[in-house]
Amino acid sequence: RFDFVDNVESKNIDQKNNDLILELLAIDFMKNNNKYEINLIFNNNAQIILTTETIEVRLEDQNEIED
């Protein structure tokens, strides 16, 4: 099964700058009518906003926690 992003917008990102490195600070989402808006928030007030009908997430531990 394939789920797709319907729309992508960016704010405060110089897409012509190939050396630009963004630091992801947070992920936020909200439901807007029958769609979801996923907001990826980066340093320097940069954002990428994804619009989709569904959100499916799977988290896995990447490191073992030692006591």
Side-chain angles (χ1 to χ4, degrees):
R1 176 177 148 206
F2 296 97
D3 293 317
F4 296 99
V5 172
D6 298 321
N7 189 47
V8 177
E9 296 178 40
S10 66
K11 295 181 181 179
N12 302 320
I13 298 175
D14 181 1
Q15 296 183 23
K16 294 179 183 178
N17 182 351
N18 293 330
D19 297 323
L20 181 64
I21 297 174
L22 296 173
E23 179 183 347
L24 182 62
L25 302 176
I27 301 172
D28 191 21
F29 76 94
M30 67 179 215
K31 188 168 186 179
N32 187 1
N33 296 322
N34 292 329
K35 303 263 183 173
Y36 291 95
E37 291 183 4
I38 304 165
N39 191 357
L40 306 175
I41 303 166
F42 299 92
N43 59 321
N44 298 326
N45 201 28
Q47 299 178 33
I48 296 175
I49 300 124
L50 310 170
T51 304
T52 185
E53 291 182 5
T54 61
I55 299 175
E56 292 184 27
V57 177
R58 185 173 104 190
L59 298 173
E60 293 182 13
D61 286 337
Q62 298 298 310
N63 297 311
E64 185 176 321
I65 299 174
E66 297 181 22
D67 292 328

